[in-house]
Amino acid sequence: MLAGAGGTGLLAATASPAKAAIRARRGRAGSNDGTPEQIHLTWSENPATGVVVSWASPGQARRPRVRIGERVIPAAPRPYTDGISGETVWSYHARVGGLRPGATYAYAVTADNDRNTADPFSATFRTAPTGRASFRFTSFGDLATPNTAWVLSYGQSAYAVEAVESFQPLFHLLNGDLCYANLNPTAQPEVWRDFGNNNQTSAASRPWMPCLGNHEVEFYNGPQGFASYLARYTLPENRVPGFAGRWYSFRIGSVLFVSLDADDVVYQDAAAFVAGPAALVPASGTGHPEIKPGTSFYIRGYSGGAQTAWLERTLAAGRQDETVDWIIVQMHQCAASSSSTGNGSDLGIRQEWLPLFDRYQVDLVLCGHDHDYERSFPVRGADTGAGHEVATGAVVNTLRPHPVTTSDSGIFDTSHGTVHLILGCGGTDAPLDEYGTDTADGSPFPGGSPPGTPSRQAKVFTRADRPVPSSAPDVFTRAAADAVEDAIWSAKRDTVTGYGIAVFDVDPGSGSNGQPSIKVTHYHAVGADPVNPASGAKGAPTPDYTEFETFTLVRPR
Ligand SMILES: [Fe+2]
């Protein structure tokens, strides 16, 4: 989330340190308490035969373990100490392997110092099917927590988790900006705790597979600031030394899922930031010096090309594998978003990854970052010279994704082009469902109605927006995107609400003429916007998710 110039800076500057400190003390109270909480599942390397059960406890757990049938599986501890508060977080991971495909299992999580030893937490989950099987998954990003004490948290976050459960997917893709702990820098572990306990409602019963967003980057928490995320999630191995957990892939049926960290390639600087005027002062016990106003944690290029090389290997192998029909990518930031109040698109993704998506016919890309819903036409290749620099009007090459059709037929053959979805519609208090329009040129939006409707316009980051001084002393801002383009790739935008969930039903096709298809239905939470941007009406969190649109992806086998 970046609400225009200086948006994150303002949020960071207005976080309440006093409130945060009180919560931090509460969080540390039970130092001998090994009761499991924040329990969640992820897929193992083979989702048909294994999951990982992960959790945290208020204090260090003694003999943390998972029981499944007659088996008792000891958990491996993976604690970390938050670099700003100095608080130690106790997290645990138990690999549960050797399971049968497409089967339901019950499990329990406990420890010797579990307050609920007599009746420990238990839940059930289902393993993935094998072969060309049908299954359902769901996705959104930008979830936050229901605890409105935290910057960007909002009550819709709880309803969003319940929405996942209501659709009973095999698993959920959580595409980045999980809880915004880095906007509440003095209380990061407490924000994560509220996030984990909220999504446990669903994530203890089906894997939630996350990717990294700009708000997972935290000061003094490891080389890229990912220590908190990495301590809490065990993700499939990418076998790239030094970069475990940052990106990964897994197979379910005939679908290859690829989860990327776009922090590595985007130009936009939207991660941890001290806007000022106050410095960010870590707890004295950490030994870390204060962080001065105007400091941002910018990690573009951190893998030195290792992620893109891995992506190419992974996509090439996937497309050579005749048992793979579909390749679905999730990442946080967007190659094709026309939100006007949010971030927009990023040239870094277009340069580094879209050529690979073209070459290996990636079918679908799921993103978050802008808190809305937008769908592109299938795109392949790029239009050059289609962008304009905001400041000067000069032509700039934004590598605008080229739509292979602008007919919104509802059925798209993704062997001809990749469909991008923006799904940053989880549960923050800042919906961004306002979209760009090029009122100046008035050229018709292709497929728009009525004819002559002004073109859709997208903002594009083509260079780094590093912090600059504002007019206020010791206060710094980061600029909005530096370029715009007519967004001829944009097919559908939800202007009613910034909240929703996408549901994907994979049909492998059957019989000799059976064509694989994926039916996508986006459900939205009408009225959940705190203030509707179009009508100005005040809204509130709602459990009611109704259908916004449905479309089908097909591809010849
Ligand atoms: Fe984001």
Side-chain angles (χ1 to χ4, degrees), residues 1 142 177 214-215 332 369:
M1 138 80 196
D142 305 77
D177 282 4
N214 50 308
H215 288 294
H332 179 65
H369 203 38

Side-chain angles (χ1 to χ4, degrees), residues 211-227:
C211 71
L212 287 156
N214 50 308
H215 288 294
E216 277 62 68
V217 178
E218 299 170 353
F219 285 120
Y220 294 136
N221 275 338
Q224 299 93 32
F226 298 150

Side-chain angles (χ1 to χ4, degrees), residues 142-145 174-181 192 195 199 210-213 215-216 229 233:
D142 305 77
L143 180 58
T145 90
L174 181 59
N175 44 55
D177 282 4
L178 280 53
C179 65
Y180 303 87
W192 278 100
F195 161 81
N199 70 5
C211 71
L212 287 156
H215 288 294
E216 277 62 68
Y229 175 96
Y233 285 99

Side-chain angles (χ1 to χ4, degrees), residues 43-192:
W43 293 125
S44 70
E45 273 67 30
N46 184 350
T49 60
V51 299
V52 180
V53 184
S54 302
W55 67 94
S57 51
Q60 185 169 13
R62 292 197 302 275
R63 286 209 311 134
R65 57 199 185 267
V66 163
R67 284 206 312 262
I68 182 162
E70 301 297 305
R71 296 160 66 192
V72 175
I73 300 164
R78 197 185 300 160
Y80 77 100
T81 299
D82 183 79
I84 296 175
S85 72
E87 182 178 343
T88 295
V89 173
W90 301 98
S91 66
Y92 300 95
H93 302 263
R95 283 186 176 275
V96 181
L99 305 174
R100 284 176 293 115
T104 300
Y105 290 90
Y107 72 100
V109 187
T110 193
D112 286 354
N113 51 344
D114 178 356
R115 273 183 284 112
N116 306 318
T117 310
D119 184 20
F121 177 90
S122 63
T124 63
F125 66 87
R126 193 164 177 79
T127 54
T130 52
R132 283 200 163 88
S134 48
F135 64 92
R136 166 179 283 183
F137 68 97
T138 53
S139 185
F140 54 62
D142 305 77
L143 180 58
T145 90
N147 181 354
T148 55
W150 307 129
V151 173
L152 269 191
S153 278
Y154 186 50
Q156 194 63 29
S157 180
Y159 291 131
V161 174
E162 289 171 13
V164 176
E165 278 310 279
S166 75
F167 291 108
Q168 295 282 298
L170 181 65
F171 67 100
H172 181 70
L173 292 176
L174 181 59
N175 44 55
D177 282 4
L178 280 53
C179 65
Y180 303 87
N182 76 358
L183 293 180
N184 303 274
T186 58
Q188 291 172 157
E190 285 66 47
V191 182
W192 278 100

Side-chain angles (χ1 to χ4, degrees), residues 4-5 14 39 94 104 123 184 195 203-204 249 255 273 311 318 357 370 389 409 481:
T14 53
I39 298 149
T104 300
N184 303 274
F195 161 81
S249 67
V255 185
F273 176 44
L311 174 62
F357 296 172
D370 282 336
E389 201 175 53
S409 60

